[in-house]
Amino acid sequence: MLHNILITGGAGFIGSSMALKLIAQGRIVTVLDNLTQQIHGKNPDESQLYCSIKDKVRFIKGSITDRNVFESALEGQDAVIHLAAETGTGQSMYEIEKYCSTNIGGTALLLDILANKKTSVKKVIVAESRAIYGEGKYKCDSCGIVYPVARTEKDMISGDFRVKCPKCNKSVNLVATDENSKLHPTSVYGITKQVQGQLVHCVCQALGISSVSFRYQNVYGPGQSLKNPYTGILSIFSNSLRQNHDINIFEDGTESRDFVYIDDVADATILAIDNDKCSGMAFNVGTGTCIDVVTVANKLKEFYKSNSEIKISGNFRLGDIRHNYADISLAKKILGYQPKYNFEEGLAKFCEWVLTQPIEHDNYKKSLDEMKMKGLYK
């Protein structure tokens, strides 16, 4: 069993959950995290996520772009779970340097250290994202399996949000996206996650270090930041609904995602640590089903007994995909992964937790205004 585990971004939503599960298994966990305000708020030392782990792990506050800090964190480690990254599809389209420096630069630094300094690291696990697939996999009645390109601004302005065949331009039917599907991200965030995975697999193979990457779908659950207006649709909607603020649903409301509960994501990732069969492989982590956004909003509104109005606006963000859900058969076969929570069960646990939390200032409109100023929100 690999005993000493470094989690970069380990004070975040996904990382803190993994850290607690690994500690329960008797492993020694080191966390490297910069406690960014966007996730942890103005008083990060008091954030719930950080406080859940701070006395249970060796904690190093610092950036993954700082060589000295990273080298110190890697000392004595058997495995690295590399989660630290800037996350926000929309925000990535105008904070390009920040996303590339952190996501790509931080990963490059990790691998540079592994290549040039003697370490005890035997495995690197990296978080990719479903965003690397772009629109993902579809079936055209005329052309068969296709991988559509990003929808045009012209079509969406006219209210046509359909995904179309890149060959014949007919509407296409969504199917589950598997790991062999075409990688063609439609956002800077997606590009950085694709590069992270490629760098890790390429360099680790050359160094004789085992590597695994995970393509997480839309992760949600207790502990998700309620302060971050740039990512996490359930958290964003919850914060607005609790304040009876109206909800602005993009496009026509039928866009959909594969929502996967935090415990399932943590469990899937941990399954790879001691599995010798998965080296060099990438795995989707989701539920294998999709839920449309207006359904999500209505379920949340009902749970919170909110007076908010749910408005289907026709607005859209450039870089957003229409649909996506994962084929998880490979993770089931190789890792023994089996999601334990369906959406209704997970949503209830999430909402019950939200009601125990203070209501945060609603910065969602501010985030949209930022995108509108950059010409990315219509």
Side-chain angles (χ1 to χ4, degrees):
M1 182 173 84
L2 298 180
H3 193 63
N4 298 305
I5 313 294
L6 169 65
I7 307 177
T8 70
F13 172 44
I14 298 175
S16 59
S17 178
M18 286 184 194
L20 293 173
K21 286 177 178 287
L22 289 168
I23 291 165
Q25 292 180 350
R27 305 187 202 240
I28 297 175
V29 176
T30 298
V31 165
L32 170 59
D33 200 298
N34 67 352
L35 299 180
T36 176
Q37 182 175 320
Q38 187 164 303
I39 301 297
H40 297 277
K42 293 181 179 179
N43 299 303
D45 291 340
E46 299 174 10
S47 86
Q48 185 179 52
L49 290 173
Y50 170 61
C51 289
S52 72
I53 63 160
K54 69 175 183 178
D55 296 324
K56 303 178 179 72
V57 303
R58 172 192 173 214
F59 183 78
I60 301 172
K61 185 176 181 179
S63 171
I64 57 169
T65 61
D66 186 320
R67 179 178 291 271
N68 291 332
V69 168
F70 222 146
E71 287 183 349
S72 174
L74 285 166
E75 290 178 4
Q77 303 300 329
D78 297 319
V80 180
I81 301 177
H82 184 40
L83 304 177
E86 299 292 344
T87 57
T89 301
Q91 187 184 44
S92 76
M93 298 298 287
Y94 58 91
E95 295 199 6
I96 296 102
E97 192 274 336
K98 174 181 173 182
Y99 273 71
C100 291
S101 294
T102 302
N103 298 4
I104 297 175
T107 304
L109 179 57
L110 163 63
L111 297 169
D112 193 84
I113 294 169
L114 294 180
N116 293 289
K117 186 175 181 179
K118 185 176 178 58
T119 73
S120 53
V121 173
K122 302 172 183 65
K123 179 170 283 189
V124 176
I125 296 172
V126 62
E128 291 183 318
S129 167
R130 56 91 182 154
I132 70 176
Y133 294 120
E135 277 293 349
K137 189 174 182 179
Y138 286 75
K139 186 174 183 180
C140 173
D141 290 339
S142 300
C143 304
I145 295 298
V146 293
Y147 299 96
V149 297
R151 295 166 293 162
T152 68
E153 183 176 350
K154 180 180 178 182
D155 279 350
M156 292 194 286
I157 286 175
S158 71
D160 182 1
F161 302 111
R162 295 173 297 166
V163 179
K164 296 173 183 176
C165 177
K167 299 177 182 178
C168 69
N169 207 40
K170 292 180 182 177
S171 294
V172 289
N173 302 305
L174 178 67
V175 295
T177 298
D178 58 68
E179 291 85 353
N180 292 321
S181 296
K182 182 178 179 179
L183 305 184
H184 60 149
T186 60
S187 67
V188 172
Y189 170 70
I191 291 169
T192 66
K193 300 309 285 184
Q194 178 182 349
V195 173
Q196 279 187 292
Q198 290 174 324
L199 283 170
V200 166
H201 287 303
C202 175
V203 175
C204 285
Q205 182 181 28
L207 297 177
I209 296 173
S210 179
S211 62
V212 186
S213 58
F214 283 97
R215 297 165 183 175
Y216 301 136
Q217 294 287 316
N218 286 60
V219 188
Y220 73 99
Q224 190 166 12
S225 177
L226 300 173
K227 300 177 176 69
N228 188 350
Y230 299 99
T231 186
I233 187 173
L234 271 71
S235 292
I236 292 169
F237 283 179
S238 292
N239 201 34
S240 295
L241 287 164
R242 292 180 72 195
Q243 299 175 67
N244 294 312
H245 294 170
D246 292 343
I247 299 294
N248 177 21
I249 303 290
F250 294 166
E251 304 186 17
D252 61 4
T254 64
E255 59 273 23
S256 63
R257 299 290 186 269
D258 185 340
F259 294 94
V260 58
Y261 192 67
I262 179 61
D263 281 12
D264 288 330
V265 169
D267 289 344
T269 308
I270 290 170
L271 284 170
I273 294 176
D274 298 313
N275 188 315
D276 295 329
K277 298 178 181 179
C278 61
S279 184
M281 300 182 72
F283 297 97
N284 289 333
V285 180
T287 63
T289 60
C290 56
I291 310 288
D292 65 67
V293 173
V294 73
T295 297
V296 170
N298 280 315
K299 285 181 178 294
L300 289 169
K301 178 180 177 178
E302 180 182 359
F303 194 96
Y304 298 129
K305 297 180 173 58
S306 173
N307 294 320
S308 301
E309 182 180 348
I310 295 175
K311 299 178 178 179
I312 298 176
S313 66
N315 295 134
F316 60 90
R317 298 185 307 184
L318 296 177
D320 273 356
I321 63 168
R322 177 68 167 166
H323 302 294
N324 197 253
Y325 76 101
D327 181 330
I328 57 174
S329 56
L330 185 65
K332 287 182 175 180
K333 178 181 177 182
I334 302 297
L335 299 176
Y337 167 66
Q338 182 62 50
K340 299 180 180 68
Y341 295 90
N342 62 37
F343 185 66
E344 287 71 21
E345 293 167 337
L347 189 69
K349 285 183 170 291
F350 169 71
C351 291
E352 288 165 0
W353 168 79
V354 168
L355 291 176
T356 68
Q357 302 303 302
I359 295 176
E360 301 291 342
H361 182 69
D362 191 351
N363 286 316
Y364 187 48
K365 184 179 182 300
K366 178 186 174 184
S367 73
L368 295 181
D369 288 343
E370 288 178 6
M371 293 197 70
K372 192 170 185 178
M373 288 176 60
K374 307 293 182 181
L376 299 168
Y377 172 66
K378 307 290 182 177

